[in-house]
Amino acid sequence: MTGDNTPPHEERIDPREGAVDAARVEELLETLPVNPDGGPDVTPPAEGTGAPDAAAAATPEAPDGGADRVSQLEAELAALRSENESLKGQYMRIAADFDNFRKRQSRDKEDQRLHITCTTLTEILPVVDNFDRARQQLNPQSEEAQSLHRSYQNLYKQLVDVFKQLGVSPMRVEGEPFDPSLHEAVLREPSEEHPEDVVIEELQRGYHLDGRVLRHALVKVSMGPGPAGGSRSDASAPPSEGTSD
């Protein structure tokens, strides 16, 4: 056989099977990075990393971005503090206004209650005056009249006790200095027993209500001692007409 040196006991192999393209191998070797020891660097790149040049370019910008973020947070904190102070001031003003409103409402309510009480009691006081006058004028003699008088006195006492429970108390004015805030002078007359501007008689009883004047007392006030006898009047009289020195 011409050009065939294959031993007869070995199988014949097609030279095309298992052949390696040398040009392709060289092309792949050129694209691989080289280690310092001269061999190819087959270490795979880390996931998520970009090109070395891009990473190197992005590294110097990190400090500047962090500083900007801190400045932004400080500005937001200052704005929140300012808003908090403003809201706190508004709350304090609203709380003060509400407290003043509550006090004013309570004071107005108390004044209204006192006004209604004073008006009602003022209408009833003449009835008490009539009871008091009748009590002073009655002088029962018989047993029947005395029994009626005792019943009347019990009714009057019950009325007075109700007034005391409401805070009403009578004034004691006789012998006291005249006080326009408590007394109303109806008469003024000379008195040898009392100095000037002293109450000498109570004409209508006055009353207090919890320290306030419910009704002024009608009183008679002293003018002090009157003029001395007739000699004083003669001395002060003008000379009669027709006399001569």
Side-chain angles (χ1 to χ4, degrees):
M1 298 178 59
T2 305
D4 187 6
N5 298 325
T6 303
H9 62 276
E10 293 182 3
E11 295 182 357
R12 190 180 183 88
I13 299 175
D14 189 352
R16 294 176 297 177
E17 293 182 4
V20 179
D21 189 350
R24 179 61 177 167
V25 171
E26 292 179 0
E27 182 181 354
L28 291 175
L29 289 177
E30 290 177 359
T31 58
L32 292 177
V34 181
N35 283 331
D37 56 356
D41 189 2
V42 296
T43 303
E47 294 182 2
T49 57
D53 295 340
T59 301
E61 297 179 358
D64 295 338
D68 294 342
R69 181 59 177 167
V70 171
S71 301
Q72 181 181 359
L73 291 176
E74 289 179 351
E76 292 178 358
L77 179 61
L80 290 175
R81 286 178 176 175
S82 177
E83 183 179 0
N84 180 54
E85 292 296 328
S86 177
L87 293 176
K88 185 185 296 185
Q90 293 179 10
Y91 168 77
M92 295 298 294
R93 288 192 295 271
I94 293 174
D97 292 341
F98 178 76
D99 187 59
N100 293 333
F101 171 76
R102 182 180 57 81
K103 292 180 180 178
R104 185 168 58 254
Q105 287 292 103
S106 178
R107 184 171 59 252
D108 294 343
K109 183 178 180 180
E110 180 64 21
D111 291 342
Q112 184 179 7
R113 185 193 67 82
L114 185 60
H115 175 72
I116 294 174
T117 303
C118 290
T119 303
T120 304
L121 293 177
T122 302
E123 296 295 331
I124 301 176
L125 285 178
V127 179
V128 180
D129 295 336
N130 292 331
F131 266 93
D132 195 23
R133 293 190 189 99
R135 182 178 62 85
Q136 295 175 1
Q137 294 175 2
L138 290 177
N139 187 17
Q141 298 295 331
S142 64
E143 182 66 25
E144 183 179 0
Q146 290 181 0
S147 177
L148 181 61
H149 181 66
R150 283 193 297 271
S151 300
Y152 169 82
Q153 291 289 354
N154 291 333
L155 182 60
Y156 176 76
K157 183 178 181 299
Q158 183 179 2
L159 183 60
V160 172
D161 290 340
V162 171
F163 269 68
K164 288 182 179 179
Q165 293 176 3
L166 294 174
V168 179
S169 59
M171 296 181 185
R172 305 300 178 187
V173 298
E174 291 187 4
E176 298 292 330
F178 175 74
D179 186 353
S181 63
L182 302 175
H183 313 138
E184 183 178 348
V186 178
L187 296 174
R188 297 178 68 90
E189 64 179 23
S191 174
E192 298 293 336
E193 299 178 358
H194 300 282
E196 187 178 4
D197 290 335
V198 172
V199 177
I200 58 178
E201 185 179 352
E202 182 186 57
L203 304 179
Q204 185 182 65
R205 181 164 296 177
Y207 291 90
H208 290 288
L209 175 62
D210 295 331
R212 301 185 181 186
V213 177
L214 178 60
R215 188 178 72 179
H216 291 75
L218 303 182
V219 298
K220 182 190 296 185
V221 183
S222 170
M223 296 174 60
S231 58
R232 181 176 177 181
S233 59
D234 294 341
S236 60
S240 61
E241 296 181 1
T243 58
S244 58
D245 294 337

